[in-house]
Amino acid sequence: MRFRWRWLVLGALLTIVLGGAWWWTRPPQFNLLIVTLDTTRADRLGAWKGPRGLTPILDRLAAEGVVFERAFAPVPITLPSHASLFTGLYPAEHGLRLNNGLSRLNSEIPVLAELLQKRGYRTGAFIASFVLDKQFGLDRGFDYYDDNLGPDHAPAGVDPHNHKMRIGELVVDSALGWLRGRRQPFFCWVHLFDPHTPYSAREELFSTKYRDRPYDAGIAYVDGQVGRLMDRLKQNGLDERTIVIIAGDHGESLNEHNERTHGYTIYDATLHVPLIIRLAGADRPVRRIATPVSLVDVFPTLADALHLKLPERCSGRNLLPAC
């Protein structure tokens, strides 16, 4: 009887030791926040030598993480560019390559949100434009996909029938509500559309400061909205446990190369985008990478950082070793 008791005690101790070893060596479940900035040129952010004082929040994030100085969108169109970001595939591979609203992402192509959802993450997306409506297939893997675009959601003076969008404040309000009190590992995607045409000088916020530069007003506005998201993470004690990605989906010509907006030419004006990766944890690296990278590289990078099994078909490169 005494011999049997000793083995029971030894077995219990072994279970505790092995359980503790698993606990300390298990892959950490970091949260993930991705903010995509629609129609945002890299040269409008201070971290890319843009106008001084235009993007203080984004510049601070850049100073805390890794700046990819030469990041490029695979295509200067919103839907296919976002599809590349979330699949690690180029437009010719995932099939969304013609224009917004003409096709739907193939349901057999794995997307980031699906992989995280299977790992137990809560997933929420907060969309600012109809071009990313759930009918186009990027909603897969999201527990909550908020693409509610009411007629009173557009900026003042913008016809909601011609431009189905909502201002960043409403998008971020929805995201903050979803994040409130959240503790389970989460993936939150926030899409901000405000620098897109039709530009607004936002005189109700900036007075006449950007009257002659309404595109810059949109950039300054989304900078403030990113600040609201970062404040919530800090207030909830999630700042050190959350990987933050800031990425432009494409740029804007602003009359360079005889193009007023985007979607037709493939110069740097429409393809060179900001990309910031701020890793979680106290020992975050601060680096600037000059090697050219693509938005398709974000997917495999996050797969490595979050210990996800990468799909067999992925054209992106893992950037984590450079971080």
Side-chain angles (χ1 to χ4, degrees):
M1 186 70 177
R2 184 178 299 175
F3 180 77
R4 183 180 177 186
W5 175 251
R6 287 177 179 175
W7 276 108
L8 288 173
V9 171
L10 182 60
L13 289 174
L14 186 61
T15 300
I16 293 172
V17 169
L18 292 177
W22 172 85
W23 176 263
W24 291 112
T25 60
R26 69 193 176 107
Q29 284 193 297
F30 294 122
N31 304 308
L32 174 62
L33 170 66
I34 294 182
V35 182
T36 53
L37 308 178
D38 212 292
T39 324
T40 299
R41 294 170 56 128
D43 65 7
R44 280 310 191 270
L45 276 66
W48 279 263
K49 300 181 180 180
R52 186 175 181 181
L54 186 62
T55 56
I57 305 299
L58 292 168
D59 295 343
R60 187 171 71 233
L61 274 171
E64 295 175 351
V66 181
V67 173
F68 292 89
E69 297 176 342
R70 301 181 64 197
F72 296 90
V75 60
I77 305 171
T78 296
L79 178 61
S81 186
H82 277 84
S84 290
L85 178 75
F86 291 128
T87 64
L89 300 174
Y90 288 98
E93 297 172 303
H94 59 58
L96 302 179
R97 62 180 184 272
L98 296 176
N99 210 333
N100 294 317
L102 297 182
S103 54
R104 176 182 174 86
L105 184 66
N106 189 320
S107 61
E108 296 181 359
I109 296 176
V111 292
L112 178 64
E114 284 183 318
L115 301 185
L116 289 171
Q117 189 181 57
K118 290 175 182 177
R119 279 286 301 274
Y121 278 67
R122 303 299 295 177
T123 54
F126 306 87
I127 307 304
S129 172
F130 175 74
V131 297
L132 297 177
D133 188 272
K134 61 173 61 72
Q135 67 180 285
F136 304 123
L138 291 187
D139 64 317
R140 280 191 291 117
F142 284 104
D143 304 318
Y144 183 61
Y145 196 88
D146 180 8
D147 55 1
N148 177 28
L149 307 175
D152 57 344
H153 290 175
V158 174
D159 184 349
H161 300 290
N162 292 332
H163 301 278
K164 296 186 71 173
M165 59 170 290
R166 58 176 170 171
I167 59 173
E169 180 181 1
L170 296 178
V171 178
V172 172
D173 282 349
S174 182
L176 294 180
W178 185 80
L179 286 169
R180 186 178 297 116
R182 193 164 295 282
R183 284 291 178 265
Q184 184 178 358
F186 64 80
F187 166 34
C188 179
W189 167 32
V190 176
H191 167 242
L192 298 173
F193 195 69
D194 302 86
H196 198 283
T197 54
Y199 313 131
S200 171
R202 303 289 178 135
E203 293 192 5
E204 74 281 5
L205 296 175
F206 305 121
S207 187
T208 59
K209 183 176 182 179
Y210 298 111
R211 179 172 291 177
D212 298 326
R213 297 184 294 145
Y215 174 76
D216 285 356
I219 300 293
Y221 177 80
V222 298
D223 184 75
Q225 298 307 315
V226 172
R228 295 177 63 206
L229 289 166
M230 298 310 300
D231 287 346
R232 175 56 58 86
L233 291 182
K234 194 167 186 177
Q235 291 165 5
N236 288 2
L238 300 172
D239 186 59
E240 296 296 329
R241 298 290 301 165
T242 303
I243 296 173
V244 179
I245 306 285
I246 304 292
D249 70 335
H250 58 74
E252 187 82 323
S253 282
L254 299 178
N255 296 314
E256 293 182 25
H257 308 290
N258 299 313
E259 183 181 32
R260 188 174 70 88
T261 57
H262 60 271
Y264 299 98
T265 67
I266 50 173
Y267 293 97
D268 277 6
T270 58
L271 293 183
H272 186 201
V273 295
L275 177 61
I276 301 167
I277 298 180
R278 198 200 71 170
L279 297 174
D283 298 323
R284 291 190 295 252
V286 178
R287 303 184 63 185
R288 298 184 68 90
I289 307 297
T291 303
V293 302
S294 171
L295 293 184
V296 300
D297 300 330
V298 172
F299 182 85
T301 301
L302 288 173
D304 189 2
L306 298 172
H307 308 285
L308 305 173
K309 183 179 180 182
L310 194 64
E312 292 183 6
R313 189 181 180 192
C314 181
S315 294
R317 299 173 298 167
N318 180 9
L319 303 178
L320 197 62
C323 294

